[in-house]
Structure formats: C-alpha cells, structure tokens
Amino acid sequence: MDELDRRLILATQRGLPLCAQPYAALAAELGCDAATVMQRLEAMLARGVIRRIGAVPNHYAIGYTANGMSVWDVADEFVDELGERIGQLPFVTHCYRRPRHLPGWPYNLFAMLHGDSRDEVMARIAIVRSLLGDACRADDVLFSTAILKKTGLRLAA
C-alpha cells in the first residue's frame, strides 16, 4: 500500500462524499483523476486491503427498531456450513463464528437480526433455529437498547 492508497482510505473511511460524482470529488481532494480513484479502490478490494464499498444504512432510521444479536451453540463440524446459510438470510446483517468461552458461554455462532418489533425478531430467530436443526444445542438473543459506538476500523491520519 503506497501513500496514495493510504490517503484514499483516510478520505473514504467515513464514507464516500454525498454528491453526484463521489469519485471525482475524491480525485480532486487527492490530486488525481476519478479513473485512478476507481482503479485504486478496485485493486485494494482485490488484495483484501478493503472488504467492500457499499451503503451502510442506519437500521433505526429505516424503521428497524428491534435488533437482536442471536447466539447459537452449533456443533463445530457444522458451524461453517450453517453459518454461511444463516448469513445469506435477508434479515441477518452480521454473522460470525467466534470461540466458545466455557463453561459459562457455549455459543460459537453469532448473527445480528433486525425487525420492526421484538416479536418479529423472535419469529426470525425461529426461522434460524429451524435451519440449524439438531446441530444447534442452545441459543439466546441479546436485544440492543442503545448504540454506544458504531464504526469500523479507522486509520490514524
């Protein structure tokens, strides 16, 4: 990663400019052309330096006021395959495999579910539960009550 890549990451880590031509606006800020900005972003995506470029909606602002982090104790031999399936559900925005912390925390699969109400989230948890089947030994849901911080990794300027 060279200096232009680093400056491009710094310029975009809080989002693209909200204008008709965001790549041109970035190019003007960085002293290059829009084609270079797009090529650099594409190359960083291909190398895995950045994971994606996309909109990140505020789920509260679009009406999803019930948000539950569901946690699942899934048999290790099935967790990767089942986690991929759960992550594809339209109401799941995050799906992770994490290490268990026994004896008090047996859960190894985490999935954030969103809905208009807690009842809707619970209905969606039932869908996940049915997809996991007998591979799931236990589950729980932790509902959000407030956003304390919501950002990704930020490079220091």
Side-chain angles (χ1 to χ4, degrees):
M1 186 167 78
D2 66 11
E3 184 59 28
L4 181 56
D5 285 346
R6 182 175 173 72
R7 289 176 42 229
L8 182 54
I9 290 172
L10 287 170
T12 58
Q13 66 186 0
R14 287 190 173 80
L16 294 176
L18 297 176
C19 62
Q21 297 183 337
Y23 298 112
L26 287 167
E29 178 183 338
L30 298 170
C32 61
D33 59 37
T36 298
V37 168
M38 290 185 284
Q39 290 166 351
R40 292 293 186 114
L41 289 171
E42 186 176 316
M44 286 190 282
L45 279 167
R47 293 191 322 264
V49 173
I50 57 177
R51 288 184 294 201
R52 66 184 175 94
I53 300 169
V56 182
N58 177 331
H59 50 269
Y60 289 103
I62 61 174
Y64 291 113
T65 55
N67 309 289
M69 178 58 75
S70 60
V71 293
W72 309 87
D73 176 9
V74 178
D76 290 332
E77 61 269 24
F78 301 115
V79 69
D80 290 336
E81 173 192 341
L82 291 170
E84 288 286 333
R85 289 178 60 196
I86 301 309
Q88 296 300 313
L89 295 171
F91 49 82
V92 173
T93 56
H94 303 77
C95 190
Y96 303 98
R97 180 180 185 175
R98 297 280 189 231
R100 305 171 198 280
H101 292 280
L102 299 172
W105 191 258
Y107 308 110
N108 61 340
L109 182 65
F110 295 58
M112 179 61 90
L113 285 72
H114 303 280
D116 294 328
S117 67
R118 284 187 178 210
D119 287 341
E120 183 176 31
V121 171
M122 293 307 294
R124 291 174 171 178
I125 285 172
I127 293 168
V128 172
R129 191 177 291 119
S130 71
L131 287 171
L132 294 174
D134 292 338
C136 182
R137 298 176 285 238
D139 64 86
D140 203 352
V141 62
L142 311 166
F143 281 99
S144 301
T145 58
I147 296 176
L148 303 176
K149 178 184 179 191
K150 188 171 184 163
T151 61
L153 175 67
R154 301 280 189 240
L155 294 183

